[in-house]
Amino acid sequence: MKNSIRLLIAVFFLLSGAGKTTAQVPATRVYDGEKLAKVKARMQEKEYAPAIARLMSDADKALKNKPVSVMDKDMVPGSGDKHDYMSMGPYWWPDPTKPDGLPYIRKDGVRNPNATSDRTNIGKTISNILTLGTAYYFSGNEKYAAKAAEFTRVWFLNPATRMNPNMNYGQMIPGRNGGKGRGFGMIDAYAFIEVLDVVEMMSTSTSFTKADREGLKNWFKEYLKWIQTSSVANEERTAKNNHGLAFDVQQTVYALFTGDSALARKTISEFAEKRLFPQIEPDGKQPRELARTTGFGYTNFNLIHMMDMCAVCRNLDIDVYNSTSKDGRNITKALEYMASFVGKPQSEFPYQQIKGWDKEQQTSCWILRRASFYDKKSGWEAISKKYMNTPKTDRRYLLYSLE
């Protein structure tokens, strides 16, 4: 099996002419550019070959996918403009006691499969761009960058199909608030921060053009202006749970991408006092996340945002990971609390986790691996290695390597 994977990789690089690609260090923010370059230099070795093979297979499938846009939805937002992104709150359902089901009622942690609209298509777009752009970086094959550019143009740039740079109708709730969106809707596009990393990974491409980059930069300038001035975005800015923390990560990345270093550094300078310390107790618990019906999952979710901000700051030579309040609140404490349940049965978790315990165990292992980058003596990687059983074909082995 191992030999067949190596043969597959060797044939791929022979046919694509990618075997002699240089290990470019991309100017990424969430992913570590130097780690990516080291992986690229060794990608034909057994440690990475399975993940590379799967990545290329996924990318070849993505080449056949048709781009989608905000114009493809059936619902029309309150503005009357289908270019405005629109989604429904995922945990809201028709009220069975009302003839028309309105207003919708909340079932925390239970996703309504019909609460899709633009959320499905934004997910498809992001997934395709990430797959294709990453495949381009590791292979050097322009066909992947060209297809990534096509998805980017359709969602962000082409006048007939582009998404307006706002989230005014994100996570709206039928029958409530006059059809307007909520600040929570910004989380639908959180993975834009990774899209922008992949754009940096395609910086050497001739197919993902300078015009594409400039157009995308202008789109995010407009989006950042909306973030700073919109009352909807302000709901997210003032959120006390994971949404507020995610807001800061997004604002920082978009500011850096568009050249507003002053806003980025201001957000970072306030991050520990404003976001971290209020959300983490001295014993490491995150009470606002533990209150959810999937308390362990939301604990992980917020820790991922913390790891993302740590990575962004590290690339600016700023240490957020070790920020500590006077009464001992810090990321390490939050990790310790989470790690105390890794490898344990769900019965030992004293809060609700109504689904996905095993999946969240693996998510925890990846969080601990990322945390080990900031503290080699922490033991996080040892715990991660002991309990991680993620298949070696998983792309995270490439993006969050131990190089």
Side-chain angles (χ1 to χ4, degrees):
M1 180 65 179
K2 291 181 179 178
N3 289 335
S4 63
I5 290 175
R6 291 177 194 173
L7 179 61
L8 245 149
I9 294 292
V11 170
F12 166 78
F13 285 107
L14 180 63
L15 293 177
S16 67
K20 294 183 179 179
T21 51
T22 57
Q24 166 217 358
V25 179
T28 47
R29 298 176 181 88
V30 178
Y31 308 148
D32 187 313
E34 291 187 357
K35 286 179 178 288
L36 290 174
K38 290 176 181 178
V39 171
K40 185 175 181 179
R42 297 181 51 222
M43 61 186 168
Q44 297 185 52
E45 298 180 14
K46 64 178 182 179
E47 184 176 353
Y48 302 117
I52 289 290
R54 175 61 183 272
L55 170 64
M56 297 308 164
S57 174
D58 289 346
D60 286 336
K61 292 175 184 176
L63 288 173
K64 302 173 185 177
N65 292 338
K66 180 183 177 181
V68 291
S69 81
V70 290
M71 303 302 290
D72 295 331
K73 60 179 173 285
D74 295 324
M75 299 173 69
V76 179
S79 64
D81 186 353
K82 289 182 75 171
H83 287 278
D84 286 331
Y85 177 91
M86 183 181 184
S87 67
M88 291 168 55
Y91 304 135
W92 293 82
W93 294 71
D95 186 340
T97 68
K98 306 291 178 63
D100 60 359
L102 300 177
Y104 275 29
I105 58 175
R106 188 169 184 256
K107 298 180 182 180
D108 187 34
V110 183
R111 288 186 175 273
N112 181 344
N114 297 315
T116 54
S117 195
D118 284 326
R119 186 167 186 149
T120 297
N121 283 343
I122 201 173
K124 290 179 180 178
T125 298
I126 290 169
S127 176
N128 281 302
I129 293 173
L130 295 183
T131 295
L132 292 160
T134 305
Y136 166 77
Y137 175 75
F138 285 107
S139 72
N141 195 319
E142 285 290 338
K143 67 180 180 181
Y144 298 127
K147 190 68 176 182
E150 183 183 351
F151 280 101
T152 302
R153 291 166 192 153
V154 169
W155 192 270
F156 294 101
L157 305 179
N158 293 349
T161 58
R162 76 191 291 263
M163 170 187 165
N164 287 336
N166 70 69
M167 280 281 180
N168 288 327
Y169 299 94
Q171 292 204 19
M172 55 79 68
I173 304 168
R176 297 176 183 269
N177 198 29
K180 295 179 182 178
R182 303 176 296 156
F184 291 159
M186 279 187 66
I187 209 76
D188 290 4
Y190 183 81
F192 279 172
I193 67 172
E194 293 182 76
V195 168
L196 296 184
D197 263 11
V198 165
V199 168
E200 300 296 351
M201 291 164 68
M202 293 189 289
S203 64
T204 59
S205 169
T206 55
S207 302
F208 199 98
T209 67
K210 182 178 180 181
D212 293 327
R213 299 175 214 286
E214 287 304 310
L216 200 58
K217 183 176 288 187
N218 289 333
W219 192 94
F220 275 95
K221 282 182 179 178
E222 292 183 60
Y223 187 50
L224 191 58
K225 183 177 180 180
W226 175 81
I227 286 174
Q228 294 177 278
T229 59
S230 164
S231 59
V232 174
N234 192 56
E235 292 177 11
E236 195 78 336
R237 176 186 289 105
T238 56
K240 304 299 183 183
N241 64 351
N242 67 82
H243 282 271
L245 203 152
F247 176 93
D248 278 7
V249 178
Q250 292 174 87
Q251 179 168 267
T252 302
V253 171
Y254 304 153
L256 290 170
F257 180 70
T258 58
D260 192 344
S261 58
L263 176 60
R265 290 187 177 275
K266 181 178 186 297
T267 308
I268 291 168
S269 69
E270 298 172 347
F271 183 72
E273 291 286 345
K274 183 178 179 181
R275 300 296 190 194
L276 281 182
F277 302 158
Q279 293 191 31
I280 302 171
E281 293 296 299
D283 62 1
K285 293 177 183 176
Q286 299 177 55
R288 292 181 179 87
E289 311 311 324
L290 291 170
R292 306 295 296 269
T293 59
T294 51
F296 194 67
Y298 271 97
T299 292
N300 279 337
F301 190 49
N302 211 23
L303 280 166
I304 289 172
H305 298 154
M306 295 178 200
M307 291 298 101
D308 288 344
M309 186 60 108
C310 286
V312 173
C313 292
R314 189 182 196 183
N315 284 315
L316 297 172
D317 294 322
I318 299 172
D319 179 11
V320 167
Y321 180 86
N322 289 303
S323 298
T324 304
S325 69
K326 293 179 180 179
D327 60 352
R329 304 163 193 254
N330 57 29
I331 293 175
T332 296
K333 289 290 181 63
L335 290 165
E336 287 175 349
Y337 184 78
M338 175 270 280
S340 69
F341 300 104
V342 174
K344 304 287 181 62
Q346 184 174 344
S347 58
E348 293 192 24
F349 184 63
Y351 298 89
Q352 287 191 81
Q353 180 64 33
I354 63 174
K355 60 182 179 180
W357 180 258
D358 291 340
K359 180 181 177 182
E360 289 301 333
Q361 288 282 300
Q362 293 306 295
T363 299
S364 294
C365 288
W366 281 101
I367 291 168
L368 293 173
R369 170 181 277 219
R370 293 181 67 186
S372 73
F373 301 163
Y374 308 101
D375 186 355
K376 299 295 184 182
K377 299 179 181 180
S378 62
W380 299 141
E381 175 51 26
I383 299 172
S384 175
K385 184 177 181 180
K386 182 177 181 180
Y387 295 106
M388 186 182 288
N389 56 30
T390 306
K392 292 301 181 182
T393 54
D394 195 290
R395 197 179 307 170
R396 286 173 290 185
Y397 287 107
L398 307 176
L399 300 176
Y400 304 114
S401 77
L402 297 174
E403 293 289 344

